[in-house]
Amino acid sequence: MRSTRWCLLSIVLITLGETHTSAININLNFNANDNQAQAFDPQNLGLHDLFSYAEGYYEDVFEDGGYTLTINYWYADLSDSLLGLLTGAVKSGDRIIEADIRIDTLNEGLPRDWFIDPTPGSDEEFVMQKTVWTDLSVNEKADFTTSGQVPDGIEVGYTGDAIQNGPAYGASDMLSVILHEIGHALNIASVASHENADGDYDMDPSFIFGADIAAKIATDGNNQPDAGHVASDTMLMCTGCLGNAARRLPTHADLFAMATSGGLSQLDVPRREFYGGITFDTDANWSGARSPDVDDDAYIRSAGLLTINSPEVMRSLHIIEDTELAIGSNTLHLSDRLVLDASSVFSPADLIVGPFGQVLTQDIEIYNGGRLRLAAARSTRPATCCWVTTAAAAAM
């Protein structure tokens, strides 16, 4: 490498954390009097842990203050076709403020085969896959919305099959069911007539780069509206889609619909997607109208050329086909990894590092012709570049 090009790529572990000053408040109330504990969870500890995780998950996403939701929960023998059930919704204005959630115990008289995840935040028992708008078939797009202006990168699915012969294989994932039922309590429900009376759940355009999108509501077996569910079978709030040996988590589309139905405006969604524009640092260009922070996995796909104009810190950055990201002389801190994934040499996935720019990361993964490019500059300093995986080094 010539001395006229220099770049510093280092491996560091970023331990910074983000703090939130406000959020919705979910109060959990275990109904011990009506609870029907079973041998699969005799002390109800798994039930408590998963509801507590789901509480924290949604409180981390929805950062508006002034909204308190009380959820009464317990085990009960439901219909064999039901894994969970929300009833008793109490509203204040357009928001549900209290609801009962029951989790099923028996299936055809035998204990329900549940996977009760001891580490719900890791998903390690599943092969998770992110689905965005461009991944959908024509029919799947028609089921999702009637809009014609959907951003390519809007996340409409985040699911994963259980690893074969792993602890979740063949079982129903209780975390998915709990997140789904709390999603009803967060205003994707039949009682949310202020939002679903027109046959869909709107999403605030400010969350989606100005796009006007609504998720179509589902229909039941009699072809009648099922206002508590959405028609898309890729989203968490679909109907009859929580099957065996799979995990289904809230998508951006689910969270945008919940927020809009509940009048919430401050979102911190996971797996942040870039929707449009020419600058990385502009909040409005990202899902939920917020650019990535230290806790985020960020995705940029089919974005053309864009720039970073200030130092950035995040967990991981995925640059995916038809995208060139120039960081100039700024520092990009990634506590996990950098992924450069092009579909071909004619569809680049490039990170362009300026003469005094720095990329600090644990790992670099380069696929299908992705490139790490060093911008030329006059300098008497020696070139220092870089630590990469073997596969990445071969691609540079």
Side-chain angles (χ1 to χ4, degrees), residues 214-232:
K216 294 163 64 174
I217 66 171
T219 54
D220 61 20
N222 297 315
N223 204 32
Q224 297 300 307
D226 176 6
H229 296 94
V230 296
S232 172

Side-chain angles (χ1 to χ4, degrees), residues 31 34 51 69-74 76-79 82 84-91 96-103 180-186 188-191 229:
N31 183 350
D34 294 328
F51 265 96
L69 169 63
T70 297
I71 294 176
N72 310 305
Y73 69 97
W74 67 97
D77 181 15
L78 305 173
S79 164
L82 294 176
L85 181 65
L86 179 138
T87 57
V90 178
K91 289 184 68 179
I96 296 173
I97 59 171
E98 184 172 0
D100 300 333
I101 295 177
R102 287 168 281 170
I103 301 301
H180 177 98
E181 298 304 327
I182 296 179
H184 287 310
L186 287 166
I188 303 298
S190 57
V191 298
H229 296 94

Side-chain angles (χ1 to χ4, degrees), residues 174-289:
M174 188 179 290
L175 176 61
S176 299
V177 175
I178 290 172
L179 288 166
H180 177 98
E181 298 304 327
I182 296 179
H184 287 310
L186 287 166
N187 305 290
I188 303 298
S190 57
V191 298
S193 57
H194 66 281
E195 186 55 57
N196 58 45
D198 60 349
D200 56 40
Y201 282 94
D202 293 328
M203 303 178 201
D204 188 329
S206 68
F207 301 151
I208 326 169
F209 200 58
D212 185 11
I213 302 173
K216 294 163 64 174
I217 66 171
T219 54
D220 61 20
N222 297 315
N223 204 32
Q224 297 300 307
D226 176 6
H229 296 94
V230 296
S232 172
D233 63 5
T234 64
M235 293 170 60
L236 173 71
M237 299 310 298
C238 54
T239 180
C241 58
L242 299 177
N244 289 342
R247 170 158 290 178
R248 186 179 294 261
L249 298 182
T251 70
H252 294 176
D254 289 294
L255 297 172
F256 297 158
M258 292 176 197
T260 305
S261 184
L264 302 173
S265 61
Q266 303 299 315
L267 272 66
D268 186 6
V269 299
R271 305 175 301 276
R272 206 66 56 80
E273 285 277 352
F274 186 85
Y275 287 156
I278 60 173
T279 55
F280 184 101
D281 320 74
T282 303
D283 285 348
N285 294 344
W286 290 89
S287 47

Side-chain angles (χ1 to χ4, degrees), residues 324-340:
E324 298 174 285
L325 176 64
I327 71 170
S329 59
N330 293 297
T331 298
L332 176 64
H333 289 242
L334 306 172
S335 62
D336 183 12
R337 57 185 170 148
L338 168 67
V339 178
L340 304 173

Side-chain angles (χ1 to χ4, degrees), residues 1-8 353-356 372-385:
M1 185 173 295
R2 294 175 296 179
S3 60
T4 54
R5 298 184 180 185
W6 79 276
C7 148
L8 183 59
V353 183
F356 293 94
L372 178 64
R373 295 163 52 190
L374 309 179
R378 295 182 180 275
S379 174
T380 58
R381 300 186 61 173
T384 305
C385 183

